């Protein structure tokens, strides 16, 4: 049979209008700290997970990763759009109520949501009210890992396709 490979996302970048504020709020949610990230530009920050396996690169909104001759690099665009095709889910050790309170204190929209009609729950937080991060506390993370598997996704798929076809 085919041997399964281990795949891990090591880092991801996310846009922020106020990178320094975001570099204070996310570490509070994650109970970690942020450090500067010079490769991402003068306002970029890096937030490491507590176990060091994942890090988030907080970059100025409008600083895009672009193809270049030798290697990809950062390119600033004027008047960047605030919405994004991307989002992320982040598992943390902090209870959901605290996550929502921290995000709301920062002036960000934050709320509890149930995805897939109750397949799993999470705190939906919006960095600068523009970029979505789904934050899962330990109970929600366990429920996600139990319910979002390839086998179960294949079970849910007909229902989801039917729902989107009727919308």
């Amino acid at each position: 049979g085919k041997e399964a490979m281990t795949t891990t996302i090591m880092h991801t970048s996310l846009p922020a209008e106020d990178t320094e504020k975001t570099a204070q709020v996310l570490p509070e949610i994650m109970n970690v700290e942020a450090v500067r990230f010079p490769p991402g530009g003068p306002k970029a920050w890096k937030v490491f997970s507590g176990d060091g396996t994942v890090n988030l690169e907080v970059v100025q909104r409008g600083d895009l990763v672009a193809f270049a001759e030798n290697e990809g690099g950062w390119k600033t665009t004027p008047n960047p759009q605030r919405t994004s095709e991307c989002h992320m889910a982040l598992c943390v050790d902090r209870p959901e109520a605290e996550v929502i309170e921290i995000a709301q204190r920062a002036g960000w929209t934050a709320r509890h949501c149930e995805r897939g009609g109750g397949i799993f729950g999470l705190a939906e937080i919006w960095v600068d009210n523009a970029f979505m991060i789904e934050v899962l506390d330990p109970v929600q993370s366990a429920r996600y890992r139990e319910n979002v598997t390839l086998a179960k996704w294949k079970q849910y798929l007909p229902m989801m396709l039917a729902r989107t076809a009727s919308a």
Side-chain angles (χ1 to χ4, degrees):
K2 191 174 178 182
E3 190 173 319
M5 289 179 48
T6 299
T7 305
T8 303
I9 294 175
M10 301 299 289
H11 74 261
T12 189
S13 58
L14 63 121
E17 291 162 14
D18 185 340
T19 58
E20 188 169 356
K21 175 181 173 181
T22 301
Q24 294 168 356
V25 176
L26 291 179
E28 184 178 356
I29 288 171
M30 297 167 65
N31 198 28
V32 295
E33 66 179 286
V35 293
R36 295 305 310 270
F37 178 56
K43 295 182 178 182
W45 291 83
K46 201 176 239 323
V47 181
F48 288 86
S49 64
D51 63 4
T53 59
V54 176
N55 58 82
L56 309 177
E57 298 169 353
V58 180
V59 298
Q60 186 66 47
R61 183 175 311 286
D63 286 359
L64 307 178
V65 176
F67 179 82
E69 188 173 330
N70 294 326
E71 66 179 23
W74 298 94
K75 173 183 161 188
T76 301
T77 59
N79 306 313
Q81 71 178 36
R82 296 193 76 232
T83 55
S84 174
E85 300 83 0
C86 302
H87 74 283
M88 74 175 86
L90 186 64
C91 298
V92 300
D93 288 330
R94 188 177 293 283
E96 178 190 55
E98 291 179 19
V99 169
I100 290 172
E101 189 273 325
I102 292 166
Q104 288 176 340
R105 189 171 3 108
W108 299 347
T109 298
R111 59 193 173 191
H112 171 80
C113 294
E114 289 289 324
R115 297 288 194 243
I119 295 172
F120 63 95
L122 52 83
E124 187 181 87
I125 67 170
W126 290 84
V127 176
D128 297 325
N129 296 319
F131 183 83
M132 183 178 68
I133 301 177
E134 297 171 322
V135 181
L136 292 85
D137 69 16
V139 172
Q140 294 165 329
S141 296
R143 191 164 142 219
Y144 182 94
R145 287 185 178 102
E146 178 186 330
N147 289 327
V148 184
T149 64
L150 178 58
K152 287 191 177 182
W153 196 260
K154 287 179 179 179
Q155 291 173 0
Y156 304 142
L157 200 51
M159 174 190 66
M160 291 187 290
L161 291 171
R163 223 184 268 158
T164 56
S166 65

